[in-house]
Amino acid sequence: MAPEEAKQRIDSLTAELKQHNYNYYVLAQPTISDYDFDHLLKQLAELEKQYPEYADPESPTQRVGGEVTKEFKTVKHRWPMLSLGNTYNAQELLDFDQRVRKAIGDNFEYVAELKFDGLSMSMTYEQGKLVRAVTRGNGVEGDEVTTNVRTIHSVPKKLGAGNYPDFFEIRGEVLMHRKAFERLNNERIEKGELAYANPRNFASGTMKLQDSAEVARRPLDCYLYFLYTEKQIFKTHWDSLQAVKNWGFHVSEHTRLCKNIDDVLAFISEWEQKRFDLSFDIDGIVIKVNNYAQQQELGFTAKVPRWAISYKYKAERVETVLESVAYNVGRTGAVTPVANLKPVLLAGTTVKRATLHNANEILRLDLHEGDSVYVEKGGEIIPKIISVNPEKRNLDAKPVAYRTTCPACDTPLIRKEGEAAFYCPNDEGCPPQIVSKMQHFVSRRAMNIDGLGDETIETLYQHGFLSHISDIYELHNQADALKQMDRFGEKSITNMLKGIEQSKAMPFEKVLFGLGIRYVGETVARKLVAHFKTLERLQAATLEELTAVEEIGERIAQSLVEYMSGEVHQQELQKLQQQGLQFTLEEAEVVLQSDKLAGKTFIISGVFEKYSRDELKEVIEKNGGKIVSSISSKLSYLVAGDNMGPSKLEKANKLKIPVISDDDLLDLIG
Ligand code: IVH
């Protein structure tokens, strides 16, 4: 292929795959099969290898939902990962039951289980240790994602004592609970990142990430539903589920042993409504013939087992009328549209609102004023508009035009290139931004101020007590005025002032995170504080100095420089300093346990199974060693975990620096 042609092909494949990613992850409406997607992705990866100069830095081979992904090792499954046949009504299930009966007679039981809506995972344990985790892939081979799966708390990395075999494979579903999905997705919207369409897509996007530390930050769970062993050790599936629960695996308590298909049908109708009370999504019920010998007798078709089938619930869908589009302003000024609907009953609750995500979604739906819309309740608590009914549209209906000014302060909205969200830039004068910034500052993950909750902030703002974060630390001068207000008892005021005073001891990284600078989340704040150590140095940092810090990209650096150069921000920071908040890194005084590592320098890199990096750092420092930040010929040891960057390892090898494991480190200090 001529270079010209290669460039064109790379560009068109890139554009096509980006669109498919968007359709899948954001809209949840894929237009091609996973197989075809993978095929196109492989073509692109191949071309990029040959012509790296034409590769887009944001290429779909590197990213999903804007995040860096990894090319994982392909591993063949020891037992293929099959899918299940689907049924959609009682008759189809009765037909399945007939087929089973015909093959094995009447003497059998079923196990009915929830059908978790996540991504399936196969995990191998040897001598009680998790050695491998592989995605389903095409059923024959999948991606090895062990390091990422190790971050899931409910997946045991090492089993305690028990009667499990030396080697076994266990299968289950990795999923994200709805609450976590909503919190993390809202954070993404606030940061101008792409929002995922549903918890399943968020979980599967997460599993593909290169950075396991980021995976660890996203709470995933895993329910196990099938055990494979070399020799058969249980007679029934039910017994195996009870056993694996005792070995320490997460098995759903909502699993039922059923005597016959009527029991199964009762279980199905019971969960038709109850599923909405679960903290995660299910999309149906799976039924399995309980006895392993009978499972063997029934066998498989080319694609699916004859001893199991799934029953899929219909996504409940109703038609209603779009009354208006409202706009919410978030902490960072991101403006998100919400559809106000004519109230309608859906899946047991009255629905009045639906998310619209962003301006692109309004265009995708081709939403017009007064449209009749189809609303579905998938996993999310807030339902979604799936499509409009064009037949009921008024001839003179106008397309919904996205607002051009802020709904709260009327400032013209802006949209940065490549971002989905519109922003209100008036961060100092826009009421909802001011209030939610203060609410963020006092929140548990930031300054964690007891006695000062969201509602109190709102009220104090409305009564003119608060308009900047620094005003919080002046409230003690206003105790008398506060007492005059409704619902403000003496005790709650004392509590609040005490909480505020105590928060002055919170470390610099919490203060920096609490300021709510766009793109500066908890991890970024921690990294910045560890690197610059004082506010003065951070304020003086240039774009180049900022991007030189690990994990700080152009976008974050730009945002920081903009924030620090704002006059109002500078005054605010000065006030907060005078009020006694922490703006320097308190280096913990290290009490030496030994001097076995005195004079030795270390770099810790990668992810470790048993210890966090901070724990290893502490061990080194307590034994007289020193942590340094860059590899040089003077470095004594590189402590390497999983997923370490290859360039670091290469450099260490070149300089002949000993590369040791976490266990080797502990051996060094005995
Ligand atoms: S059993 C041969 N049990 O559904 C046995 N699968 O449509 C196959 N799933 O790929 C799996 N909950 O990802 C089984 N309780 C459950 C399940 C379940 C969800 C998923 C799984 C599988 C897909 C098949």
Side-chain angles (χ1 to χ4, degrees):
M1 200 184 282
E4 259 307 277
E5 200 185 328
K7 180 171 182 333
Q8 268 179 14
R9 184 81 188 125
I10 287 179
D11 288 350
S12 77
L13 276 172
T14 304
E16 188 182 346
L17 286 161
K18 275 188 183 175
Q19 185 61 46
H20 286 312
N21 261 337
Y22 186 78
N23 292 349
Y24 182 85
Y25 286 101
V26 181
L27 304 181
Q29 286 169 337
T31 50
I32 60 168
S33 69
D34 289 359
Y35 179 84
D36 290 341
F37 180 88
D38 286 345
H39 185 70
L40 292 178
L41 196 70
K42 278 205 182 108
Q43 273 184 29
L44 178 60
E46 205 45 53
L47 280 170
E48 286 176 344
K49 220 180 259 168
Q50 281 177 41
Y51 300 94
E53 65 274 30
Y54 299 142
D56 179 346
E58 303 271 316
S59 167
T61 56
Q62 312 293 315
R63 274 152 203 275
V64 132
E67 304 177 273
V68 182
T69 59
K70 182 175 163 174
E71 215 179 296
F72 295 96
K73 199 167 103 191
T74 308
V75 176
K76 198 164 178 313
H77 294 297
R78 189 179 188 111
W79 290 279
M81 280 181 90
L82 299 171
S83 55
L84 292 171
N86 292 323
T87 58
Y88 297 91
N89 55 47
Q91 188 53 52
E92 286 173 0
L93 254 194
L94 292 170
D95 293 347
F96 167 79
D97 182 58
Q98 279 297 329
R99 292 197 295 274
V100 173
R101 241 164 243 292
K102 214 167 152 192
I104 59 169
D106 293 339
N107 192 15
F108 66 93
E109 294 167 322
Y110 287 119
V111 178
E113 300 169 13
L114 304 181
K115 186 172 190 312
F116 309 99
D117 195 12
L119 68 148
S120 44
M121 192 64 66
S122 171
M123 285 157 284
T124 303
Y125 282 77
E126 286 176 13
Q127 271 83 36
K129 273 195 184 161
L130 171 66
V131 293
R132 205 162 35 257
V134 185
T135 63
R136 177 167 186 274
N138 61 6
V140 177
E141 50 185 32
D143 288 337
E144 211 226 278
V145 290
T146 317
T147 322
N148 285 349
V149 168
R150 283 212 168 106
T151 67
I152 304 177
H153 292 297
S154 58
V155 172
K157 270 51 86 185
K158 193 167 182 301
L159 304 178
N163 62 342
Y164 43 82
D166 281 351
F167 175 94
F168 67 88
E169 211 174 294
I170 187 159
R171 298 212 172 142
E173 198 87 348
V174 172
L175 54 85
M176 187 181 275
H177 292 264
R178 273 198 293 268
K179 278 255 159 60
F181 166 75
E182 273 159 20
R183 174 171 62 78
L184 294 171
N185 229 14
N186 284 337
E187 280 176 18
R188 287 176 69 83
I189 294 168
E190 283 281 311
K191 286 194 274 182
E193 294 168 359
L194 282 180
Y196 285 99
N198 53 40
R200 174 177 17 92
N201 291 356
F202 209 148
S204 86
T206 301
M207 262 306 127
K208 293 194 169 85
L209 294 184
Q210 150 92 51
D211 179 4
S212 298
E214 176 59 29
V215 178
R217 245 170 264 134
R218 301 181 183 181
L220 295 173
D221 203 341
C222 180
Y223 282 96
L224 285 311
Y225 48 64
F226 210 84
L227 176 72
Y228 285 90
T229 52
E230 301 265 278
K231 275 197 227 118
Q232 189 187 306
I233 46 175
F234 300 105
K235 281 213 164 63
T236 66
H237 176 57
W238 182 260
D239 289 349
S240 82
L241 288 181
Q242 307 311 311
V244 300
K245 198 186 282 179
N246 289 332
W247 300 346
F249 291 96
H250 206 179
V251 176
S252 170
E253 61 197 294
H254 307 302
T255 301
R256 187 176 297 166
L257 191 57
C258 297
K259 288 261 162 292
N260 51 43
I261 199 73
D262 287 339
D263 284 1
V264 171
L265 288 168
F267 185 81
I268 288 173
S269 57
E270 202 177 307
W271 281 99
E272 175 111 43
Q273 275 310 315
K274 271 202 330 201
R275 70 192 159 121
F276 297 108
D277 303 331
L278 289 166
S279 61
F280 51 84
D281 288 352
I282 63 168
D283 59 344
I285 299 293
V286 176
I287 67 169
K288 299 170 184 170
V289 169
N290 188 26
N291 186 290
Y292 283 143
Q294 288 175 325
Q295 285 188 4
Q296 258 176 6
E297 219 179 312
L298 283 155
F300 298 86
T301 70
K303 279 200 242 145
V304 296
R306 286 200 186 87
W307 44 264
I309 203 150
S310 80
Y311 176 92
K312 291 256 199 142
Y313 289 121
K314 274 189 224 64
E316 289 206 41
R317 178 181 284 205
V318 286
E319 195 175 341
T320 186
V321 174
L322 172 73
E323 291 192 326
S324 62
V325 175
Y327 296 82
N328 289 330
V329 186
R331 171 167 60 84
T332 58
V335 174
T336 41
V338 180
N340 286 324
L341 306 168
K342 186 165 171 223
V344 61
L345 201 66
L346 174 65
T349 48
T350 304
V351 170
K352 295 184 205 134
R353 267 185 287 277
T355 48
L356 282 168
H357 298 302
N358 53 45
N360 298 347
E361 178 72 354
I362 294 178
L363 289 178
R364 180 187 75 81
L365 292 165
D366 186 28
L367 204 58
H368 282 53
E369 289 169 0
D371 262 349
S372 189
V373 294
Y374 295 110
V375 182
E376 236 179 47
K377 192 154 180 168
E380 302 91 292
I381 288 165
I382 306 177
K384 204 180 144 119
I385 298 181
I386 300 300
S387 59
V388 302
N389 180 353
E391 284 169 17
K392 290 203 189 156
R393 178 174 292 161
N394 284 335
L395 282 176
D396 56 352
K398 288 199 206 90
V400 170
Y402 206 84
R403 292 191 62 103
T404 52
T405 59
C406 174
C409 71
D410 229 24
T411 306
L413 301 181
I414 54 164
R415 190 186 213 179
K416 288 198 178 156
E417 211 191 300
E419 290 195 2
F422 279 93
Y423 286 96
C424 165
N426 180 22
D427 61 337
E428 289 302 324
C430 178
Q433 289 190 62
I434 296 173
V435 170
S436 46
K437 271 202 181 73
M438 289 190 282
Q439 289 171 334
H440 168 73
F441 184 79
V442 304
S443 68
R444 198 176 49 78
R445 281 161 61 208
M447 299 297 273
N448 194 15
I449 302 186
D450 271 348
L452 185 53
D454 285 0
E455 264 176 59
T456 314
I457 296 253
E458 178 93 50
T459 315
L460 293 178
Y461 169 76
Q462 273 160 11
H463 287 79
F465 286 99
L466 296 178
S467 59
H468 290 93
I469 289 170
S470 59
D471 297 338
I472 295 172
Y473 294 94
E474 300 297 332
L475 282 176
H476 63 276
N477 296 324
Q478 316 233 30
D480 287 338
L482 287 170
K483 275 182 218 157
Q484 304 307 313
M485 285 184 30
D486 276 357
R487 286 188 297 123
F488 270 77
E490 186 144 355
K491 200 163 163 214
S492 53
I493 294 174
T494 314
N495 265 349
M496 175 176 81
L497 295 177
K498 195 169 138 210
I500 292 172
E501 189 57 31
Q502 281 171 346
S503 75
K504 290 184 181 169
M506 289 302 259
F508 181 18
E509 62 186 55
K510 296 278 184 190
V511 181
L512 185 60
F513 168 61
L515 292 175
I517 303 168
R518 188 175 297 164
Y519 310 132
V520 179
E522 280 172 293
T523 320
V524 169
R526 208 174 306 130
K527 293 244 144 105
L528 289 168
V529 167
H531 187 90
F532 292 100
K533 300 198 166 54
T534 68
L535 176 67
E536 285 69 28
R537 277 191 224 135
L538 182 60
Q539 279 177 313
T542 61
L543 268 183
E544 292 71 37
E545 285 165 342
L546 286 163
T547 45
V549 182
E550 197 191 358
E551 277 190 44
I552 308 296
E554 192 83 17
R555 214 169 53 149
I556 302 173
Q558 190 77 46
S559 165
L560 269 161
V561 169
E562 260 171 42
Y563 183 92
M564 295 300 177
S565 62
E567 208 175 309
V568 186
H569 298 147
Q570 287 171 0
Q571 285 166 4
E572 180 72 354
L573 286 169
Q574 203 182 354
K575 262 195 204 159
L576 291 170
Q577 266 180 312
Q578 284 160 359
Q579 286 163 332
L581 275 71
Q582 304 301 311
F583 284 98
T584 40
L585 172 66
E586 285 290 318
E587 306 262 18
E589 235 179 78
V590 179
V591 183
L592 282 190
Q593 281 173 352
S594 86
D595 57 2
K596 286 192 179 142
L597 304 180
K600 301 268 190 296
T601 54
F602 294 81
I603 283 183
I604 308 172
S605 186
V607 186
F608 298 86
E609 192 181 330
K610 285 182 269 182
Y611 311 97
S612 71
R613 277 204 255 186
D614 284 344
E615 282 169 333
L616 293 176
K617 181 170 172 257
E618 198 182 322
V619 165
I620 291 172
E621 288 175 343
K622 280 197 169 156
N623 289 282
K626 211 173 139 206
I627 305 286
V628 293
S629 57
S630 61
I631 301 188
S632 73
S633 56
K634 290 196 203 105
L635 179 68
S636 317
Y637 295 100
L638 172 67
V639 187
D642 286 340
N643 249 18
M644 194 179 104
S647 61
K648 231 179 218 170
L649 194 60
E650 209 174 290
K651 197 163 172 195
N653 285 336
K654 217 186 232 162
L655 296 171
K656 299 209 165 55
I657 288 157
V659 179
I660 61 170
S661 69
D662 47 354
D663 284 333
D664 297 337
L665 170 69
L666 299 183
D667 285 347
L668 283 180
I669 51 172

